[in-house]
Amino acid sequence: MKRLMVANRGEIACRVFQTAAKMGIETVAVYSDADQQAKHVRSADIAVHIGASEANASYLNIEALIQAAQQSGADAIHPGYGFLSESAAFANAVQNAGLLWLGPDADTITQMGDKGAAKALMTSAGVPVVPGADHADPKAAAEAIGYPVLIKAVAGGGGRGMRKVDTPEEFDAALQRAQSEAQSAFGNADVLVEKWIESPRHIEAQILGDGSSVRCIGLRECSIQRRHQKVIEECPPAFLSRKAQAAIEAAAVLAGQSVNYRGAGTVEFVVGADESFYFLEMNTRLQVEHPVTEAVYGIDLVEWQIRIARGHALDQLPALTAQGHAIEARLCAEDEQGIPSVGVITEFTIPNTARVDSAVASGDQVSRYYDSMIAKVIVHRPSRAEAVEALTKVLFDASITGIDTNRRTLMSLLSAPALQAAAIDTRYFEHHSQAHPMPPMLIAAAKWPLAPQSGAWGADGFSNGVGLQHCWQDDQDNLYLLKANGNQRTLSFAEQSIDIVLQGGARFTADGQVHHYQALGCDDGIEALLDGRFYLHRYAPPASLDGGDSHQVLAPITGRVIQVAVECGQQVESGDLLCVMEAMKMEHSVLAAKSGTIASVNVSEGNTVNQSQLIIEWADD
Ligand code: ADP
Ligand code: ADP
Ligand code: MG
């Protein structure tokens, strides 16, 4: 292997190039129209244009990719994750073109690509699988298993095409939606029905195989998910007994051996509250969250993918032991509601106390065509508590401007007390993604260094009263009184009064207890870190999308209109579907905010519109 092409984009392409360069291998990037200036293109020795921006015309275009490899003189292809990484057709095409494929054999990909077939194979290998039922009729299967059940696309991935059903009454509608979602996302409407595991945790095993032996390189916990998509991952899993860890690792090795696995792969399990565990699926590729394993086990997984492809045997890999704790956060171009954000990143700075695997740099454009993930931030510390605090701080100190990101959501997730308890399951995100409001004493302490004359003071009701006395009324009509005397403040609210002494630097004492804090004034409020946890004080509630003129419906995102559900003159009820938009692989339904008559529809299917563009107008009431 002298010249390696990565048939992918973004951070994973950059990540693979780094290891290739370290090993003295030349690198080839491929790019679409939208990615001409992208970081992965700048990071490679050679770059080849493969087609238009839509993934189907470029990153999913097998012919164009093989041609790019031949044209650039590449002798090997790394597929990254997503796109064609789990396509048996692509693996075959690469090998038929005489190129080295950095993945498992096409047969293995096919065997594992169908969740139903994979489960059957695992059962025969002795690996526990999620209870299901063998019924031609999905509803009969659900009855046999007992509710709640989960309907899943057999060809599914990325958390799409999945629906939990709680009662028989909801089953038919859910089945229909799951099937149509599966058809449009994967071109295959087949679904399977399985038991819903209560309080589910997602635990997965990293494996490496050389075709004859398989090793497990520890486990990862990925239970913090939004809509079945991972958001924060850690290694090793917290709160899992050694016994369960060992049993899951053994099951993962068994799973790998049953297909004579070659390369790097992940065996995913769902784990119940009683630590019972069940095989979910096997991902026959490098995973987004692989860096936490690399940190804890001191291994370069891409280097081992390359070594295995070159024919090295796994027994050259020394025994590895876990050291400390690593956590990764996926930084995405989306706002706090999860709505994709498209645009130019004016500043992208993340402190170098973390490993940052990024797809972008200052000045780069985030387009609407691909996944919203722009970087992964990974920290590795001796203990879990230290890792959590360090990651929160890195995110707090990061400055990313020009587009919206989920930075605050990530910090909020890391700051909830529940993170420290053995209470994490896949519902964690639902309950802990909102920022904690700032304790009044922190508001008082934080606002002080933010220059009393700056807008930050007046903006939320503090008024410069007589001398250094300020009063402020919050949304609940609580009245706060702040008296300042040198470094000493007295904050009174309700019947209480707290003495705060600013101690210089980032410390203050409140009622005799020392706290560490850091505060940052933003346009919409104050962000603060208090004793390692993130708090947010908003001056006003976040603006809602349908705010403004009630005569107009504005596009919530920059993206493509994939369905228009209403026409001019139509009478609709509040909550009815108006249209569906798509950006960054996510679909957004635009619903009627009120009942009324549609006066005009200014878009049609296939149109690309900008955020806040007028798409529909209401008739006068
Ligand atoms: P993981 O368990 O690693 O998150 P997924 O199956 O969710 O595995 O997919 C891996 C990553 O690849 C995800 O971030 C997903 O959003 C991304 N991805 C999947 N398909 C595509 C695609 N067609 N284009 C771009 N990114 C994709
Ligand atoms: P994908 O291919 O989209 O990654 P998975 O089968 O890996 O699909 O499931 C994605 C997530 O959905 C899991 O990480 C888990 O949180 C949840 N999940 C899957 N199956 C079950 C189940 N039977 N019970 C509860 N949660 C599940
Ligand atoms: Mg999965």
Side-chain angles (χ1 to χ4, degrees), residues 81-83 157-158 229-230 268 283 285 287-289 330 371 585:
Y81 54 71
F83 295 121
Q229 279 251 43
K230 299 160 190 168
E268 298 191 328
N283 290 324
R285 55 170 164 83
Q287 214 134 351
V288 175
E289 56 275 21
R330 298 191 189 192
D371 205 76
K585 302 189 356 222

Side-chain angles (χ1 to χ4, degrees), residues 115 157-159 202 204 228 230 268 280-281 283 285 287:
K115 285 182 203 281
H202 176 112
E204 60 185 32
H228 306 295
K230 299 160 190 168
E268 298 191 328
L280 275 181
E281 65 164 344
N283 290 324
R285 55 170 164 83
Q287 214 134 351

Side-chain angles (χ1 to χ4, degrees), residues 86 115 119 130-131 149-150 152-153 155-162 164 186 194-204 222-223 225 227-230 268-270 278-283 285 287 425-426:
E86 292 176 284
K115 285 182 203 281
K119 279 176 76 176
V130 185
V149 297
L150 189 66
K152 241 184 221 187
R160 283 169 304 161
M162 219 177 292
K164 183 186 177 210
F186 313 109
E194 62 187 29
K195 180 83 195 146
W196 172 261
I197 305 299
E198 292 296 341
S199 296
R201 292 171 66 185
H202 176 112
I203 307 274
E204 60 185 32
C222 314
S223 298
Q225 307 182 342
R227 298 188 212 108
H228 306 295
Q229 279 251 43
K230 299 160 190 168
E268 298 191 328
F269 296 90
V270 61
Y278 309 95
F279 171 87
L280 275 181
E281 65 164 344
M282 179 160 173
N283 290 324
R285 55 170 164 83
Q287 214 134 351
D425 63 33
T426 58

Side-chain angles (χ1 to χ4, degrees), residues 448-568:
W448 205 252
L450 296 175
Q453 305 317 325
S454 81
W457 275 97
D460 78 49
F462 267 103
S463 65
N464 279 340
V466 186
L468 288 172
Q469 245 193 47
H470 306 270
C471 84
W472 168 60
Q473 199 164 0
D474 71 11
D475 320 341
Q476 272 85 49
D477 290 343
N478 297 311
L479 197 66
Y480 300 85
L481 193 68
L482 181 69
K483 288 184 197 160
N485 178 8
N487 273 343
Q488 173 95 34
R489 323 242 174 286
T490 305
L491 178 77
S492 315
F493 67 99
E495 313 272 87
Q496 303 170 43
S497 144
I498 296 174
D499 287 322
I500 296 172
V501 183
L502 300 188
Q503 297 187 310
R507 285 186 308 153
F508 69 90
T509 314
D511 284 346
Q513 266 197 309
V514 180
H515 297 281
H516 294 259
Y517 83 100
Q518 210 180 325
L520 183 72
C522 310
D523 291 348
D524 60 342
I526 302 171
E527 292 183 355
L529 267 190
L530 173 63
D531 301 329
R533 292 207 164 123
F534 174 68
Y535 294 88
L536 180 64
H537 172 62
R538 282 186 212 274
Y539 297 141
S544 87
L545 283 168
D546 50 31
D549 189 343
S550 64
H551 271 84
Q552 304 187 330
V553 180
L554 308 182
I557 53 172
T558 297
R560 210 160 53 92
V561 177
I562 55 175
Q563 187 194 343
V564 177
V566 292
E567 52 190 36
C568 189

